[in-house]
Amino acid sequence: MSRINTAFANKAKVAYLTAGDGGIAKSVENFVALVKGGVNLLEVGIPYSDPVADGPVIQAAMERALKEHNTTVDTSLEIVSKIRSQDNQVAIILFTYYNPIQTNLAEFIRKAKDAGADGVLVVDLPYEEAGELRHWCKVYGISPITVVAPSTTQKRIKTILAGLDNGFVYYACQKGTTGTRDGLPEDLATHLNSIREVTKLPIAVGFGVSNSQMVSDILKVADGCVVGSYLVKQIANNVTPAELTKITQGLYNVA
Amino acid sequence: MLVKICGIREPEMARKVAASGVDFIGLLFTSHSPRQIGIATAKEIIAAVKDYPTKVVGVFFDETPEKIAEIDKELNLDVIQLHGDLPRSGVSNFTHKPLIYVADGKPLPECLDVAKDFILYEKIEPEETGFRWFLAGGLDKDNVSGLIDKYAPTGVDLSSGVEISRGVKDFAKIREFLAVIRPTYYGAYGGMYVPELLIEPLKDLIDAVKTIMHSPEFQAEYLNLLKNFVGRPTALTEVKNFAKAIGLTSVHLKREDLTHTGAHKINNALGQCLLAKKMGKPRIIAETGAGQHGVATATACAMLGLECVVYMGQVDVERQAPNVAKMRLLGAKVVAVTDGSATLKDAVNEALRDWAASYETTHYCLGTALGPYPFPQICAEFQAVIGREAKAQYNEQVGSNPDMVIACVGGGSNAIGVFQEFIPDEKIKLVGIEAGGYGVKVGENAARFQSGKLGVLHGNRTYVLQTEDGQIADTHSVSAGLDYAAVGPQHADLYATGRAHYDVATDEEALIAFQLLTRTEGIIPALESSHALAYLMKVAKDLPKDCKVLVNLSGRGDKDLPGLLARELVHVTN
Ligand SMILES: Cc1ncc(COP(=O)(O)O)c(C=O)c1O
């Protein structure tokens, strides 16, 4: 079974951090601390100067990673391979914007695979522009992760998920950008049902998740739950890896 | 959708096709085809496309594997297409190259590789093989959409469908075909590179363009507002003193500075706000650099009764203070953006973030000819009035078309506005002027065609100023309206295909032109527009003295004065 499928076999606990926030070593430590806290699928975000899908918390993390630590695509891949060398079980997906990887997409996917990543999500590369990405993912054996949004119509969900037989669907359940929110949208279950009608792939729900109640509510209806900004905020507050592990345990209700 | 055009015979056609974003061009070596070329021509074609990502495919119908290898040795083809039985029989000799294997109904050879090879189906029913594959055979602009829907190929391969007579390719037909299969692109540039969330709102906008914006009622209402609210048509002014001062005899200015709010931006802002109102969106957001688009949007919103929020970089808030005050006076909320470089790019980021949360009630009134499709198209259509008027006025005053049309290029709206009308007449030279800032290094200017590389910013694929790592670079220009890291996709296409030329004027040159026009003609130009004038000053000595020049004076300079005086970039003496 693939690492992604293993993560989803018993509810995927997904966590995002921006790569290079705090430098390479610190960043690796933090990702590993998440895994100790029960996370079984890591989202490693490649920092980008103009992250239009992200809210202030992740924007700030990206700015720190770029300005204070000169993080690049290659550094981010190095972080992935360092996590991988410590942990061969956890699933890892790269989360990136298109511009930093577009000059040589095939090469990027190859390097991502070599580093030990299991999937790639390119946030500003919608289905219409994603033909090449999907091809190279197939060639190098890495899963292209497709996002479904609250605005995605049923017809479109069918089109964009057609033919995908590995990885998972990321349902970004809120409008707007990343960032913590107080509650879950009421139409969550309805949207998940529409997605399930057209695909057998597992579904992870993210965007705005900021407490353990939201996590458990999501895991009642979805196959996985993604927490991002809430954890990135902890890094901004300089928590230690041990504290991060604890916070993650609390979030995912794992002892 | 990949596009392959087969049977290219001329280097210049190959170059234009490559510049238009065609992914593969096929060269035919067989003597049975009217599209056959020789080795010498093939070499010229390969040289003509070497700067483009386009791959050159050698297409073989009846050559022996030895002959194919011999030709490939000479040319080093990117891809080999094995078409007939004899070429196919040698497939195992070519496993080191990407191949296009023309299916013949028999099982595919084992040695094909899904990573690099393609299958081509012509005249036989395509099968699902896991390979990337081309659909071929009699495709043209009228039948291709239906066939793509039916078969969902990876790419399309065409030849006779884009010819005017047997074996003769027609560039206009090729462009028409590309427009059908890549409706969100201008040649190789454009597209919709946005998060999934924004795709539906953009599709709604595409629908609104068709059903509302293109309706006769909408156009009538818009034209009426242009006339009675904006004050169009704007004048076309011959500037004899300025011309004389720079050694020319015929220079005319299209006076967008005379519009209500003082720049061309109102043509687009008013059109989009009217469209938003008809779409039932009560709230408008906009980004602004120089503040002209912000003022224009705030003005349109005040008149149409819409709520208005304008995002503006902190640096621009400071250097364009009069416009900030105007927007607030007009009832708009101005949000100063302090992220990143705190200029136009960062204002666009914030506007896009707002729109992602608010699209149900809000229209994003993007101020220039870029962004994800359909924004570049909407803006170009609303700005087209500049060129339509200018051409008619010019012909009336001068009795002919100009030889040269010059406009400054920020995102590209005033330039595309004036260029469009003149594009079909290839004798007319079109020149776009970017901000040369204070130097040629990345970070010292906003010269995308000089120091930019292909990339994606704010939803479209175009030339982008960026670092080696693919991060968007900081830019510099004395004029806020030109200070931006990317250029509109239609300009990228005009540049790549060679229909328009792009050059730069520096901060210093623009300031000199600013003062020269003011003193010789009593017209204070915007700093942005001053770049177009500065270029003309610079090249005047190399032009025929009687060269007939039309410059689009995109706006007036009042907004720039306080900043220029404060920084002592211009001096006033009593
Ligand atoms: C007067 C004026 N001219 C030109 C520009 C540049 O924009 P564009 O290239 O879209 O015409 C601006 C932008 O703010 C402007 O205010």
Side-chain angles (χ1 to χ4, degrees), chain B residues 263-265 290 292 367-368 408-415 481-482 526 528-529 554-555 559:
Chain B
H264 69 292
K265 297 283 178 188
Q292 289 304 104
T368 185
C408 64
V409 184
S413 68
N414 88 88
L482 304 184
E528 291 79 12
S529 326
S554 55
K559 67 178 174 65

Side-chain angles (χ1 to χ4, degrees), chain B residues 4 37 104 132 138 241 243 267 302 329 335 342 349 384 394 436 518 527 534:
Chain B
K4 169 166 179 272
I37 57 166
D104 57 358
R132 290 180 290 175
N241 304 328
N267 304 326
L329 186 64
V335 181
N349 288 344
Y394 198 94
T518 305
L527 273 180

Side-chain angles (χ1 to χ4, degrees), chain B residues 15-128:
Chain B
R15 192 197 65 75
K16 289 207 295 197
V17 162
S20 301
V22 168
D23 307 281
F24 300 84
I25 53 170
L27 310 185
L28 272 56
F29 297 97
T30 175
S31 57
H32 301 325
S33 171
R35 304 180 185 101
Q36 181 200 19
I37 57 166
I39 295 292
T41 309
K43 281 189 177 163
E44 283 175 43
I45 290 176
I46 290 168
V49 302
K50 72 171 185 335
D51 294 336
Y52 301 91
T54 305
K55 306 257 185 293
V56 178
V57 184
V59 182
F60 300 97
F61 285 86
D62 46 15
E63 290 76 2
T64 60
E66 294 72 35
K67 177 76 184 169
I68 297 171
E70 195 185 307
I71 291 175
D72 184 40
K73 194 163 172 222
E74 190 85 20
L75 298 175
N76 191 17
L77 297 159
D78 296 319
V79 184
I80 292 175
Q81 178 169 332
L82 304 170
H83 217 107
D85 285 336
L86 194 53
R88 269 192 295 254
S89 70
V91 61
S92 58
N93 299 359
F94 301 109
T95 49
H96 59 291
K97 284 244 151 157
L99 297 177
I100 298 176
Y101 187 87
V102 180
D104 57 358
K106 299 187 194 124
L108 295 175
E110 289 284 324
C111 63
L112 294 178
D113 173 0
V114 281
K116 67 175 180 59
D117 298 335
F118 298 82
I119 313 298
L120 186 146
Y121 288 96
E122 186 179 29
K123 297 189 195 118
I124 65 170
E125 197 62 15
E127 284 166 38
E128 179 50 50

Side-chain angles (χ1 to χ4, degrees), chain B residues 155-173:
Chain B
V156 290
D157 184 1
L158 60 155
S159 181
S160 62
V162 289
E163 293 182 341
I164 29 171
S165 60
R166 204 164 143 68
V168 184
K169 294 283 180 292
D170 180 36
F171 186 60
K173 281 196 163 187

Side-chain angles (χ1 to χ4, degrees), chain B residues 176-206:
Chain B
E176 277 173 23
F177 183 89
L178 289 172
V180 170
I181 66 158
R182 292 176 177 162
T184 67
Y185 278 78
Y186 302 87
Y189 309 95
M192 295 162 93
Y193 293 83
V194 293
E196 172 62 25
L197 181 64
L198 286 177
I199 292 288
E200 281 307 319
L202 289 170
K203 289 192 168 172
D204 286 347
L205 197 52
I206 292 174

Side-chain angles (χ1 to χ4, degrees), chain A residues 49-50 99 129 151 175, chain B residues 185 196-197 345 360 456 471:
Chain A
S49 55
D50 294 79
N99 200 59
E129 315 288 358
S151 62
K175 286 185 290 223
Chain B
Y185 278 78
E196 172 62 25
L197 181 64
K345 146 179 110 69
E360 283 164 320
V456 165
Q471 307 295 344

Side-chain angles (χ1 to χ4, degrees), chain B residues 369-516:
Chain B
L370 49 74
Y373 193 85
F375 283 112
Q377 188 60 30
I378 291 176
C379 184
E381 288 185 25
F382 284 132
Q383 293 294 2
V385 65
I386 304 175
R388 275 201 307 273
E389 285 177 11
K391 187 175 177 191
Q393 291 167 321
Y394 198 94
N395 275 273
E396 193 185 302
Q397 288 184 26
V398 184
S400 73
N401 273 326
D403 299 318
M404 183 186 238
V405 180
I406 309 174
C408 64
V409 184
S413 68
N414 88 88
I416 208 65
V418 71
F419 286 177
Q420 273 170 99
E421 189 72 16
F422 298 104
I423 288 173
D425 186 346
E426 302 233 355
K427 290 190 299 295
I428 302 170
K429 192 161 183 200
L430 306 175
V431 189
I433 304 304
E434 302 183 285
Y438 61 86
V440 296
K441 288 211 275 300
V442 171
E444 297 176 346
N445 58 50
R448 290 73 43 111
F449 292 121
Q450 311 266 324
S451 351
K453 287 186 302 198
L454 258 188
V456 165
L457 179 63
H458 294 146
N460 60 122
R461 184 170 191 271
T462 183
Y463 288 81
V464 180
L465 289 164
Q466 52 189 307
T467 66
E468 288 297 316
D469 301 327
Q471 307 295 344
I472 305 307
D474 285 346
T475 53
H476 167 85
S477 170
V478 68
S479 79
L482 304 184
D483 197 355
Y484 179 72
V487 65
Q490 198 172 358
H491 286 290
D493 180 41
L494 291 170
Y495 169 79
T497 53
R499 177 61 191 94
H501 299 269
Y502 295 83
D503 209 322
V504 296
T506 63
D507 287 355
E508 210 177 306
E509 290 163 344
L511 287 167
I512 293 170
F514 174 88
Q515 295 178 72
L516 184 67

